[in-house]
Amino acid sequence: MENIGRGNFGSKIGAVLAAAGSAIGLGNVWRFPYETGANGGAAFLVLYLACVIIIGIPLMVAEFAVGRRSRANNFRAFPLLGATGLWKYVGFLCVLTGWLILCYYVVVQGWTIEYVISSGANGLANKTPDDYTADFSSFISNPVKPLIYVFLSIGITLGVVLMGVQKGIERASKVMMPMLFIFILVLVGCSLSLPGAMKGVEFLLNPDFSKVTASTYLAAMGQAFFSLSIGMGCLCTYASYFPKEANLFGNAFNIAGIDTLIAILSGLIIFPAAYSVGIEPGAGPSLVFITLPNVFYQAFGSIPWLAYMFSLMFYLLLAMAALTSAISLLEPATLLIHEETHLRRRWSALLATAPVLLFGVACSLSMGIWDEYKLFGMNLFDLFDFTTAKIMLPLGGLFTALFVGWKMDKKALLSEISNQRTLPQWLIRIYYSLIKVILPLAIIAIFLNELGVFSL
Ligand code: PHE
């Protein structure tokens, strides 16, 4: 992998699968349920879906177009397509955001590894719902253990990026993503069969718009950006490896569709189970780690080996899904350093990783012994999450949309998105109006709404 040249991925669908692997991760199974829980349930889901359709899919296509057209890292891509002045730095802003996300993503990735290990050692069996809550809190506030997992997560992510993304990730994604999907379906069934489960379904599917506040809009938009991996240069970077004939619209629809489906299904696992065992749906980042063991051991309580197998397999797949996303967060920064400084790829990856270690450790400690240090009422972990997902990603997306809509050469854009002129004119027209006007206005409106300038 010394030569990162173009064509990193072995097969045609490899690059596209990797983009799907980037999108599907902790954002779906961990972040979506807790954001939905904290923001009132179904009404949040409606706003989230609107953001995916109006903002998410068009932006994904825009990032794909920039990446495939320029066939360069994100920093170089924009100038190559004609960006001048401040526009040149849009790509850099996006890569920086992704890199900052990685700093706290590795913390949660570490939690998934802990749950793989503790499932494997049968440490989740024979416990009450209160035990799961207590175990999780004592784990994340422990000053040493989670740090070991931060190191481990970073090590594994770096290892894969260094070894080369092609074969491993490609092959693994092809097998594991469908497996994860099947597991999720089975777990939805289990969760729905728990007593009192319907209250959870209602929470997720029956919207109560009186619960919508200004910050619900921002949260829904942030979640759409986070979950679809947009606004941080990763899709752009991956698209620089896409084959010429890849259908950008088709891929964006498929990836967004699968990603959203997995998020909703995750909600259908978590909320029925949470209501069934009396856990608050607004419990925050711990939600998934407390409710899931409950689902396994309550649903299969009478067949302990099945519960054991299920929890082990599920956390393993979740850890894998987190890994494919973490790689996609490290790759753009690595590629940028490598192509811009001509340092070897190995050194570039190490350089991109070293500060992640520092911030990762700090974010992890902020969930425990450093929890009292707060800025704007948030600990470091929450602050990283808030600033990146709710401010930087949407800003990166806004600038990308404005650039693609107003600055990029129209012919170049058309030749990328028109799928060898097979895309109907009306769709292209809708796309132009979305990317030029509607999408930027929507992002700005959500920001202004949050600031209280006006109310949506
Ligand atoms: N989309 C990934 C997830 O859902 C996380 C991610 C965010 C990956 C931003 C890349 C960029 O977990």
Side-chain angles (χ1 to χ4, degrees):
M1 251 330 252
E2 265 325 303
N3 170 21
I4 44 89
R6 300 289 125 204
N8 225 356
F9 291 97
S11 69
K12 231 200 257 172
I13 56 161
V16 176
L17 262 179
S22 163
I24 298 164
L26 296 172
N28 310 63
V29 185
W30 163 72
R31 200 175 186 282
F32 173 80
Y34 92 71
E35 278 287 341
T36 308
N39 286 287
F44 174 87
L45 177 61
V46 172
L47 293 181
Y48 173 73
L49 291 177
C51 287
V52 168
I53 295 168
I54 298 171
I55 302 175
I57 296 175
L59 253 180
M60 198 184 270
V61 173
E63 286 202 22
F64 283 163
V66 169
R68 188 170 66 179
R69 188 75 186 174
S70 65
R71 299 230 176 265
N73 72 65
N74 237 43
F75 182 57
R76 198 173 292 188
F78 285 79
L80 270 178
L81 298 178
T84 48
L86 282 177
W87 292 105
K88 283 201 281 198
Y89 300 100
V90 174
F92 182 75
L93 170 74
C94 294
V95 175
L96 180 70
T97 313
W99 181 85
L100 286 173
I101 291 178
L102 184 62
C103 295
Y104 71 91
Y105 203 83
V106 289
V107 176
V108 188
Q109 198 186 347
W111 299 347
T112 62
I113 301 178
E114 152 74 6
Y115 274 71
V116 170
I117 294 175
S118 98
S119 305
N122 212 13
L124 300 180
N126 303 324
K127 298 211 160 147
T128 63
D130 287 343
D131 289 339
Y132 292 125
T133 313
D135 283 358
F136 182 74
S137 331
S138 82
F139 164 63
I140 58 166
S141 54
N142 182 306
V144 182
K145 217 170 161 195
L147 299 191
I148 299 175
Y149 288 112
V150 170
F151 287 120
L152 206 60
S153 307
I154 295 179
I156 298 172
T157 308
L158 179 66
V160 178
V161 170
L162 282 180
M163 269 175 4
V165 190
Q166 327 105 305
K167 300 271 155 53
I169 288 295
E170 242 183 87
R171 240 183 252 155
S173 307
K174 271 185 216 163
V175 182
M176 279 174 326
M177 289 301 156
M179 264 174 80
L180 182 70
F181 189 68
I182 293 170
F183 260 67
I184 286 181
L185 282 181
V186 175
L187 286 176
V188 170
C190 296
S191 190
L192 290 179
S193 69
L194 296 174
M198 280 312 133
K199 264 179 99 178
V201 178
E202 205 175 297
F203 179 75
L204 185 66
L205 300 180
N206 192 8
D208 172 3
F209 288 102
S210 66
K211 289 199 182 133
V212 171
T213 64
S215 53
T216 317
Y217 288 91
L218 190 67
M221 176 167 74
Q223 177 59 22
F225 271 93
F226 188 96
S227 189
L228 298 177
S229 301
I230 45 182
M232 50 69 67
C234 133
L235 296 181
C236 225
T237 305
Y238 278 8
S240 71
Y241 307 122
F242 275 10
K244 260 222 308 283
E245 47 307 343
N247 175 347
L248 300 190
F249 265 97
N251 285 322
F253 273 114
N254 289 339
I255 294 173
I258 294 174
D259 191 76
T260 306
L261 185 64
I262 294 200
I264 294 176
L265 289 174
S266 299
L268 281 175
I269 300 175
I270 310 298
F271 294 118
Y275 273 97
S276 174
V277 293
I279 290 169
E280 272 298 302
S286 62
L287 187 63
V288 165
F289 291 92
I290 295 171
T291 48
L292 275 183
N294 269 305
V295 183
F296 299 127
Y297 285 92
Q298 293 219 357
F300 302 113
S302 50
I303 324 167
W305 67 268
L306 207 59
Y308 174 83
M309 285 304 289
F310 249 94
S311 70
L312 181 59
M313 285 299 285
F314 185 84
Y315 282 114
L316 209 61
L317 292 169
L318 187 60
M320 292 295 182
L323 179 64
T324 50
S325 298
I327 289 162
S328 80
L329 288 164
L330 185 58
E331 179 65 19
T334 302
L335 186 63
L336 189 151
I337 298 175
H338 174 62
E339 288 191 343
E340 296 310 312
T341 64
H342 302 296
L343 272 177
R344 281 167 170 254
R345 185 179 160 88
R346 199 175 301 142
W347 288 111
S348 311
L350 281 172
L351 213 65
T353 311
V356 174
L357 208 62
L358 206 74
F359 287 117
V361 164
C363 283
S364 181
L365 289 176
S366 80
M367 300 300 270
I369 50 174
W370 287 358
D371 192 34
E372 76 235 47
Y373 301 112
K374 299 213 154 107
L375 205 64
F376 307 112
M378 289 177 264
N379 65 26
L380 196 67
F381 182 100
D382 292 334
L383 191 68
F384 263 63
D385 182 68
F386 180 87
T387 326
T388 51
K390 296 185 181 163
I391 299 177
M392 293 177 77
L393 285 179
L395 275 184
L398 173 65
F399 295 135
T400 305
L402 289 175
F403 175 78
V404 168
W406 296 95
K407 297 260 162 194
M408 188 172 158
D409 178 43
K410 229 178 165 172
K411 267 208 202 109
L413 178 63
L414 196 65
S415 95
E416 289 303 321
I417 64 169
S418 69
N419 199 28
Q420 283 94 36
R421 305 230 174 87
T422 53
L423 210 64
Q425 269 304 318
W426 60 266
L427 199 60
I428 293 180
R429 241 177 268 134
I430 293 182
Y431 184 71
Y432 275 138
S433 47
L434 271 172
I435 203 83
K436 284 179 102 150
V437 185
I438 300 172
L439 189 160
L441 283 181
I443 297 179
I444 293 170
I446 290 175
F447 274 137
L448 293 180
N449 178 56
E450 174 72 14
L451 291 173
V453 178
F454 70 90
S455 172
L456 278 169

